[in-house]
């Protein structure tokens, strides 16, 4: 029953959260009434599921109070009889009744503990359901370290998602040398994003090999491989933090000058003038307080400040006007990272989808 409640609760919370986060889209399509009914149904069903816990509490709390009341009346009745029979003194009866009265707090506390245990049981099921999951992408024993590369090869690479029955990408052969800039184009749904995300080791390839300097990518430490990549996805996820804190996710140790540099390359400096507190302005949840273009450029600045060996831009300029897009591309081609004395190039490789 507890597991059933946990699953239902999670689904209903997703419905409610989805309605709140997507309120602008719901309003734009005139779906307020239908969405309200769906959300209300989810909340009502969630309320019904919590009745199980309320029933549990309604049983144990009165039960313990009843046990106390019966004990008290028995003590009074039996004690009065014993006083009349001079078995005990009136003082002994009063003392005993005082001791019985002291049991009320612990009994009620015990009932509350049982109720708390019921809630803990639900929470523990949720927690261990996640923690017990075993990742399918893991480091091999004694993995190699990698910080730079000379060449990456995709040798006959095919990939199928675990929930699909077909290959999203099939028999891909590419050789990419450090310093190259390449573009991957194709129709929607052809697997462009899936292809470049193989470098992030999100899934193991179904067939073929990805080689970094002629060594399979699986033999390298996953953290090292991911640290080499600066990834700007199609969906630009921003956090409820300040503008500069969102950029620092890419490199928490970056200086203020490096933050300004990254924003300059991403052409975000001009937007600071329109924000109430500049780079310290709080970004609302999922970046809803910023425009689509601002979210894209902030995500690009986050990737740049990481100083990656590989910079992947996945349709990252779709919300930009031509002038801003052109300016961004020129800045990316020639920019260096950090101090004037630090001549490391921001990118050795860029995927532009």
């Amino acid at each position: 029953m507890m597991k059933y409640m946990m699953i239902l609760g999670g689904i209903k919370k997703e419905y409610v959260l989805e309605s709140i986060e997507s309120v602008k889209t719901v309003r734009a399509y005139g779906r307020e009434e239908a969405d309200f009914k769906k959300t209300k149904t989810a909340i009502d069903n969630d309320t019904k599921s919590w009745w199980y816990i309320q029933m549990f509490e309604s049983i144990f709390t009165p039960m313990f109070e009843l046990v106390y009341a019966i004990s008290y009346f028995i003590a009074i009745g039996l004690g009065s009889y014993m006083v009349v029979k001079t078995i005990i003194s009136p003082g002994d009866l009063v003392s005993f009744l005082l001791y019985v009265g002291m049991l009320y707090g612990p009994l009620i506390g015990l009932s509350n503990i049982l109720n708390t245990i019921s809630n803990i049981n639900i929470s523990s099921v949720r927690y261990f359901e996640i923690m017990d999951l075993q990742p399918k992408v893991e480091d091999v024993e004694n993995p190699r370290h990698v910080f730079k590369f000379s060449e990456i090869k995709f040798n006959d690479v095919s990939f199928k998602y675990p929930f699909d029955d077909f290959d999203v990408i099939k028999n891909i052969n590419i050789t990419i040398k450090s310093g190259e800039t390449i573009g991957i184009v194709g129709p929607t749904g052809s697997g462009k994003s899936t292809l470049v995300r193989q470098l992030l080791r999100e899934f193991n390839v179904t067939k073929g090999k990805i080689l970094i300097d002629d060594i399979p990518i699986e033999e390298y430490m996953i953290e090292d491989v991911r640290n080499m990549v600066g990834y700007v996805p199609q969906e630009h996820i921003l956090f409820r933090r300040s503008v500069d804190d969102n950029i620092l996710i890419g490199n928490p140790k970056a200086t203020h000058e490096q933050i300004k540099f990254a924003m300059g390359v991403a052409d975000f400096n001009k937007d600071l003038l329109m924000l109430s507190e500049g780079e310290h302005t709080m970004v609302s949840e999922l970046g809803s307080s910023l425009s689509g273009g601002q979210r894209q450029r902030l995500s690009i600045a986050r990737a740049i400040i990481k100083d990656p060996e590989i910079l992947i831009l996945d349709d990252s300029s779709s919300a930009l006007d031509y002038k801003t897009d052109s300016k961004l591309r020129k800045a990316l081609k020639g920019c260096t990272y950090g101090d004037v004395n630090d001549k490391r190039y921001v990118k050795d490789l860029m995927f532009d989808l």
Side-chain angles (χ1 to χ4, degrees):
M1 182 185 72
M2 294 299 181
K3 189 172 184 179
Y4 175 71
M5 281 173 46
M6 180 273 294
I7 294 173
L8 283 180
I11 293 174
K12 290 155 193 163
K13 289 176 183 177
E14 287 180 3
Y15 284 156
V16 176
L17 183 62
E18 183 182 69
S19 296
I20 295 173
E21 292 178 346
S22 307
V23 63
K24 293 181 180 179
T25 303
V26 171
R27 188 185 299 126
Y29 283 89
R31 299 290 299 172
E32 295 98 322
E33 188 65 28
D35 192 73
F36 173 76
K37 290 179 180 178
K38 183 188 75 171
T39 305
K40 186 177 184 302
T41 300
I43 294 174
D44 289 343
N45 291 336
D46 193 52
T47 302
K48 290 178 183 177
S49 70
W50 277 101
W51 272 109
Y52 289 107
I53 294 178
Q54 297 303 318
M55 288 173 59
F56 187 85
E57 293 178 353
S58 66
I59 291 172
F60 276 93
T61 300
M63 184 180 71
F64 279 101
E65 290 183 349
L66 179 62
V67 169
Y68 168 76
I70 292 174
S71 301
Y72 202 79
F73 282 117
I74 290 175
I76 292 176
L78 183 60
S80 299
Y81 173 78
M82 296 176 72
V83 169
V84 171
K85 292 293 185 178
T86 66
I87 299 174
I88 62 174
S89 68
D92 292 334
L93 175 61
V94 172
S95 298
F96 183 74
L97 291 177
L98 289 174
Y99 285 126
V100 172
M102 293 173 64
L103 288 174
Y104 178 79
L107 283 172
I108 298 302
L110 180 60
S111 70
N112 291 334
I113 289 175
L114 292 175
N115 295 335
T116 302
I117 290 174
S118 174
N119 291 327
I120 291 174
N121 184 39
I122 297 174
S123 300
S124 65
V125 170
R126 295 176 180 175
Y127 175 79
F128 285 107
E129 191 173 67
I130 296 174
M131 297 304 295
D132 289 342
L133 291 174
Q134 295 297 322
K136 294 185 178 180
V137 180
E138 295 182 292
D139 284 323
V140 298
E141 188 175 353
N142 300 320
R144 299 170 180 261
H145 290 282
V146 60
F147 304 103
K148 292 181 178 294
F149 72 96
S150 298
E151 185 180 72
I152 295 177
K153 291 182 180 179
F154 286 70
N155 284 350
D156 200 30
V157 172
S158 298
F159 176 74
K160 177 178 67 176
Y161 285 105
F163 44 80
D164 284 339
D165 297 325
F166 57 90
D167 290 330
V168 180
I169 53 176
K170 189 173 183 179
N171 301 329
I172 301 296
N173 291 280
I174 306 175
T175 298
I176 307 161
K177 296 185 181 298
S178 177
E180 285 187 334
T181 299
I182 71 170
I184 300 175
V185 297
T188 301
S190 59
K192 302 185 298 297
S193 298
T194 299
L195 175 63
V196 297
R197 286 166 62 187
Q198 300 307 308
L199 291 175
L200 295 172
R201 295 292 315 279
E202 294 182 1
F203 295 92
N204 291 319
V205 296
T206 308
K207 176 186 174 185
K209 288 288 184 181
I210 300 177
L211 306 175
I212 299 179
D213 294 335
D214 294 325
I215 298 174
I217 193 172
E218 294 85 3
E219 295 187 18
Y220 291 109
M221 185 176 290
I222 294 175
E223 184 179 358
D224 287 351
V225 173
R226 290 175 179 170
N227 283 338
M228 285 203 308
V229 179
Y231 180 47
V232 184
Q234 293 181 15
E235 296 294 330
H236 304 284
I237 303 300
L238 299 180
F239 299 89
R240 188 174 175 78
R241 306 177 189 178
S242 62
V243 170
D244 54 352
D245 280 345
N246 267 282
I247 295 175
L248 283 172
I249 292 173
N251 180 7
K253 297 181 181 180
T255 64
H256 183 262
E257 289 73 19
Q258 291 168 341
I259 295 175
K260 298 292 288 184
F261 174 80
M263 286 194 292
V265 174
D267 197 28
F268 196 84
N269 283 332
K270 63 183 181 182
D271 297 275
L272 296 178
L273 301 175
M274 296 182 287
L275 301 178
S276 59
E277 299 181 35
E279 63 191 63
H280 302 299
T281 302
M282 290 295 297
V283 177
S284 61
E285 190 172 2
L286 299 179
S288 59
S289 59
L290 302 177
S291 68
Q294 288 174 327
R295 289 198 295 271
Q296 283 188 338
R297 285 179 284 123
L298 198 56
S299 296
I300 292 171
R302 178 196 295 164
I304 290 172
I305 205 169
K306 187 177 180 180
D307 187 23
E309 291 293 310
I310 304 169
L311 179 60
I312 300 177
L313 303 178
D314 191 349
D315 198 19
S316 59
S317 59
S318 59
L320 304 182
D321 60 84
Y322 176 78
K323 184 177 180 181
T324 303
D325 181 38
S326 177
K327 185 176 180 180
L328 175 62
R329 290 175 184 272
K330 289 179 180 178
L332 284 172
K333 287 180 180 179
C335 70
T336 55
Y337 174 80
D339 293 324
V340 176
N341 296 325
D342 188 354
K343 296 300 181 181
R344 293 176 293 167
Y345 282 96
V346 171
K347 60 176 181 53
D348 285 327
L349 171 65
M350 178 175 70
F351 288 98
D352 188 11
L353 308 185

